[in-house]
Amino acid sequence: MPGATKVTDRTIRNALAGLYPKEIWYFISSFIFLLSVVHLLASPASSKRGTTSLRRIPAAVVNAWRIIAFRSTLQIGKSYSICLADMFVIFVYILVLFVWALVNTTDLEGVKFDWTFYSNRAGTLAASQFPLITVLGTKNNVLTLLTGISYEKMNNLHRMSARVLLVLLWLHAGSKLVMPKGIDADQVGTFWLNIGYASVFAFSLLALVSIRPVRAVAYEFFFYMHFALAFVVLLGGVYHTANFNYSHYVWPSFLVWGLDRFIRLLRVIIYAVSPHLTRAKSTTDQTTEVSARADMLSPDLVRLRVPRPPGFSWSPGQLSYIIVPSISRLPFEAHPFSIASIHDAELETESHSAEKGKEHWSDIVFLISARKGFTRRLADKLSQKGESTMKVLLDGPYGSSPDLDSSDTVVLIAGGTGISYTLPLLLSLAKKGRCRRVHFIWSVRDSNHLRWVSPTIVKALSLAPTSMSISISIYVTASSIIDLPKHSNFANIDLNSMPAESTESLNTGHGTSLTLEKTATGVDLFDLRAVQVLFTRPKFDKLIHSEMEGADGHTSVCVCGSQGIARAVRSSVRVNPFAGPNSILKGAPSVTLHVESFGYA
Ligand SMILES: Cc1cc2nc3c(=O)[nH]c(=O)nc-3n(C[C@H](O)[C@H](O)[C@H](O)COP(=O)(O)OP(=O)(O)OC[C@H]3O[C@@H](n4cnc5c(N)ncnc54)[C@H](O)[C@@H]3O)c2cc1C
């Protein structure tokens, strides 16, 4: 028929290579929309105990989903675990990409899986996903805003999806290398072909330097290599795809990345400059501090107190990146730390300047455990000088704050510096006074840490309304295991069982005794019956189950510490919602678990 286009393998191939990336984007957009709606509507089920009720089926189903998806993890090696939800998302992503890459690849002669069909299509599909993996790797991104999924989780997906794309890219580039006449003679040596291969090789190298052991041993090396190689991948991708009119899929990645960097830089500048502006404007208060103060709480623990710059606001459980120019060796060396204080204007104005622990509700406090690099240099500087002031730049806040407002019972569990995450949550819960019961559990190696944490815990207890029941259980692990003699009476001592006077000072097992300073109100930690100090390891399953049994409504468990602690807590919370005396159908509380890890944990 005159004017009709002749259908050839080439026309079909090209049409499908153009259509399928769009279809995948419809699929991904629908999934994001679904997550956003769930995020908007999700609220923990409140309940009272009673007989089995069918009305509680939705709560039981949601709880079952949480247990299966988030609390069941697959352990990979010693230091890595992945939850089923992440595995599910990445499995579906792989399935979708490869099904779309390999369907309809039978040519007009009936040859199945004709490589000429899937090779270029795999390349186009991979290119179309570049903006997504870039968004997943940024800190200020629209997906976190829509779905409430924290940027750390997005980062996990960024790594996993990037590896899937690498396979897809090799399907594209590799098939051309191995197939006879894969590359036409007139294409050899062309710029777009060479830059395409350079991009794929850079991507492969990037995947290698991004593996966990490299990040753990040489984070800065990984960081700068990632920066340089990602630039080559994207630039190469733009030039290569421009030859086929597909560069519109790749160049937006530069925009996404640039916007994230711009927002971060702007924040750093604003928070660096704003204290000086406020100080210059203020005629009454000439003492506004602009420098941060750091001191050593123990040989391996630094406390950094940064005066809150005007406009810097955060929620308990969030973190900030810090840059300390006098300690950093590389430009842009920023490290993430949880903010161990709360931002509460009322408390800030109410408390007088000499009040102990005041920094935990007026400044931005970081508790920094000294490791090998930046943190060790910071600790070394302080061990020579004692307390020191320094310029600190802030890039934050980031991360999500757990929503505990509708919980009846909250269990806060921390190991070591994980208290940076749970201490502000405790203060905030006590101040709001909405939930009925809070149990704060801290496992720490050295009993000397009780000194600095004492005023803040005392403050939290004083803020809580009488309707709220708070228990503080501090487990000192190393003193009991390493230092205390085997026959010691202190190996598992419950201070509540002793008269208050005898608990004023505590034998640390070093032949010295630990005496806590009185707070402004004249109360110290050991005066309070809500506080237990135990020289043993915590039994998380017993502690959590007893709280769940006593709960009268939704229970939240928040944990931050080593991977061992996170694993123990996860398995304790993994109870069957459909069976047993605790069945949710019978009115037992539904449970939400929030796990915060410090990356290496
Ligand atoms: C979300 C989050 C919150 C954190 N909160 C705290 C906290 O409150 N208190 C605390 O003591 N530590 C916290 N950390 C850990 C802290 O960021 C690292 O210990 C610190 O960056 C190590 O710096 P370094 O140069 O001394 O590391 P190194 O001794 O060189 O390495 C130690 C570990 O830290 C990791 N690391 C190094 N640099 C970075 C970086 N820039 N970003 C991410 N990881 C890095 C390495 O991969 C390695 O696993 C947190 C980490 C994350 C991801």
Side-chain angles (χ1 to χ4, degrees):
M1 197 192 289
T5 320
K6 194 176 168 223
V7 176
T8 62
D9 279 339
R10 177 184 280 268
T11 53
I12 297 172
R13 274 198 311 256
N14 289 348
L16 295 183
L19 177 69
Y20 285 174
K22 288 184 192 142
E23 290 188 358
I24 288 201
W25 266 107
Y26 296 143
F27 181 87
I28 291 172
S29 311
S30 311
F31 184 63
I32 293 169
F33 177 74
L34 190 74
L35 288 180
S36 312
V37 172
V38 170
H39 172 57
L40 210 67
L41 301 180
S43 71
S46 66
S47 61
K48 293 279 171 209
R49 280 174 192 274
T51 50
T52 304
S53 161
L54 293 182
R55 270 181 297 150
R56 295 190 47 76
I57 286 180
V61 170
V62 169
N63 218 52
W65 160 249
R66 285 198 190 116
I67 288 166
I68 295 165
F70 300 108
R71 290 166 215 164
S72 311
T73 54
L74 181 75
Q75 189 68 30
I76 302 170
K78 270 189 183 166
S79 63
Y80 184 63
S81 63
I82 176 171
C83 70
L84 287 193
D86 285 354
M87 273 172 65
F88 173 75
V89 169
I90 212 66
F91 173 74
V92 171
Y93 189 65
I94 293 173
L95 197 72
V96 165
L97 281 178
F98 281 88
V99 165
W100 256 286
L102 297 173
V103 288
N104 291 332
T105 48
T106 306
D107 64 21
L108 291 175
E109 285 169 11
V111 177
K112 290 197 161 103
F113 293 110
D114 182 338
W115 75 271
T116 60
F117 274 65
Y118 64 72
S119 174
N120 283 346
R121 196 193 299 169
T124 327
L125 287 176
S128 76
Q129 296 304 297
F130 274 36
L132 180 69
I133 54 167
T134 313
V135 168
L136 291 173
T138 54
K139 301 209 163 41
N140 302 284
N141 73 64
V142 67
L143 289 187
T144 293
L145 210 69
L146 289 174
T147 61
I149 299 172
S150 71
Y151 88 92
E152 301 107 291
K153 262 218 167 306
M154 294 280 182
N155 236 266
N156 272 342
L157 294 176
H158 162 78
R159 280 192 286 274
M160 290 191 281
S161 50
R163 284 162 196 156
V164 178
L165 291 201
L166 183 62
V167 178
L168 215 52
L169 279 176
W170 272 113
L171 190 63
H172 168 56
S175 56
K176 295 204 173 274
L177 285 179
V178 294
M179 290 299 172
K181 292 194 192 151
I183 300 172
D184 293 341
D186 60 339
Q187 295 173 344
V188 176
T190 54
F191 178 70
W192 63 264
L193 187 72
N194 290 346
I195 196 89
Y197 274 104
S199 180
V200 176
F201 280 113
F203 205 146
S204 312
L205 194 57
L206 180 52
L208 268 183
V209 299
S210 303
I211 56 172
R212 184 164 277 260
V214 177
R215 278 184 286 131
V217 174
Y219 189 88
E220 303 303 334
F221 168 76
F222 148 76
F223 180 82
Y224 285 98
M225 285 298 280
H226 185 289
F227 183 85
L229 290 169
F231 187 74
V232 174
V233 170
L234 290 178
L235 200 65
V238 169
Y239 277 111
H240 180 75
T241 52
N243 201 48
F244 314 98
N245 292 328
Y246 283 122
S247 62
H248 57 276
Y249 280 130
V250 186
W251 63 255
S253 296
F254 280 112
L255 281 187
V256 171
W257 181 85
L259 187 67
D260 176 52
R261 287 282 142 181
F262 176 71
I263 294 174
R264 294 186 70 178
L265 185 68
L266 200 67
R267 275 216 189 106
V268 171
I269 293 172
I270 289 174
Y271 296 140
V273 171
S274 62
H276 296 280
L277 293 179
T278 321
R279 198 185 195 191
K281 264 195 204 163
S282 165
T283 48
T284 49
D285 179 13
Q286 290 302 317
T287 58
T288 312
E289 279 188 72
V290 288
S291 294
R293 275 179 300 143
D295 60 341
M296 299 293 290
L297 295 174
S298 75
D300 282 329
L301 187 65
V302 173
R303 174 174 51 190
L304 183 65
R305 286 171 277 181
V306 187
R308 189 178 68 80
F312 191 100
S313 179
W314 71 98
S315 303
Q318 286 196 289
L319 64 108
S320 175
Y321 278 74
I322 63 167
I323 302 162
V324 186
S326 59
I327 305 285
S328 306
R329 285 197 179 142
L330 298 158
F332 312 116
E333 183 177 349
H335 293 265
F337 296 98
S338 295
I339 304 175
S341 49
I342 58 168
H343 174 213
D344 189 298
E346 204 184 326
L347 283 184
E348 196 176 337
T349 31
E350 266 173 16
S351 59
H352 57 86
S353 57
E355 187 172 352
K356 288 220 171 298
K358 183 179 186 265
E359 63 277 5
H360 282 278
W361 50 93
S362 55
D363 288 343
I364 301 168
V365 179
F366 300 102
L367 299 172
I368 301 174
S369 170
R371 293 172 67 83
K372 288 193 190 125
F374 164 85
T375 52
R376 177 57 61 194
R377 291 196 298 278
L378 178 65
D380 287 349
K381 178 175 176 172
L382 290 171
S383 55
Q384 290 156 15
K385 283 186 149 190
E387 187 167 315
S388 182
T389 56
M390 56 190 69
K391 179 89 207 148
V392 172
L393 302 173
L394 297 168
D395 170 20
Y398 293 111
S400 50
S401 174
D403 178 8
L404 306 175
D405 281 352
S406 44
S407 298
D408 167 81
T409 299
V410 179
V411 186
L412 303 171
I413 300 172
T417 40
I419 195 174
S420 301
Y421 178 70
T422 53
L423 198 57
L425 291 174
L426 174 70
L427 276 168
S428 160
L429 285 167
K431 172 83 197 318
K432 286 183 182 167
R434 291 206 189 125
C435 52
R436 192 186 52 82
R437 163 96 183 131
V438 177
H439 193 168
F440 180 88
I441 301 163
W442 186 30
S443 173
V444 64
R445 291 175 68 80
D446 185 350
S447 54
N448 280 306
H449 288 297
L450 298 182
R451 274 185 225 281
W452 60 263
V453 84
S454 166
T456 314
I457 290 180
V458 170
K459 177 76 175 181
L461 292 171
S462 73
L463 286 172
T466 45
S467 57
M468 181 186 263
S469 145
I470 301 192
S471 294
I472 309 287
S473 305
I474 299 174
Y475 290 83
V476 181
T477 53
S479 300
S480 61
I481 290 159
I482 299 163
D483 301 315
L484 286 177
K486 279 203 176 82
H487 59 273
S488 168
N489 288 333
F490 296 104
N492 190 351
I493 186 169
D494 173 355
L495 297 183
N496 261 358
S497 63
M498 299 171 77
E501 313 83 78
S502 63
T503 61
E504 288 267 318
S505 70
L506 176 71
N507 191 315
T508 60
H510 300 272
T512 57
S513 67
L514 173 75
T515 312
L516 302 183
E517 286 176 65
K518 297 270 180 202
T519 58
T521 49
V523 179
D524 81 26
L525 204 60
F526 300 152
D527 290 336
L528 298 161
R529 300 201 65 79
V531 179
Q532 271 192 329
V533 180
L534 299 118
F535 286 79
T536 182
R537 285 185 186 282
K539 293 199 168 56
F540 293 114
D541 49 349
K542 272 195 182 164
L543 288 163
I544 291 172
H545 289 165
S546 101
E547 291 301 337
M548 281 164 70
E549 266 165 35
D552 217 2
H554 184 75
T555 301
S556 291
V557 180
C558 305
V559 57
C560 183
S562 67
Q563 214 190 33
I565 291 184
R567 211 180 303 134
V569 172
R570 261 203 185 99
S571 75
S572 308
V573 178
R574 211 185 297 145
V575 288
N576 186 344
F578 295 109
N582 258 338
S583 165
I584 287 174
L585 290 175
K586 284 186 179 160
S590 57
V591 183
T592 310
L593 174 67
H594 304 270
V595 182
E596 174 76 0
S597 96
F598 285 173
Y600 51 80

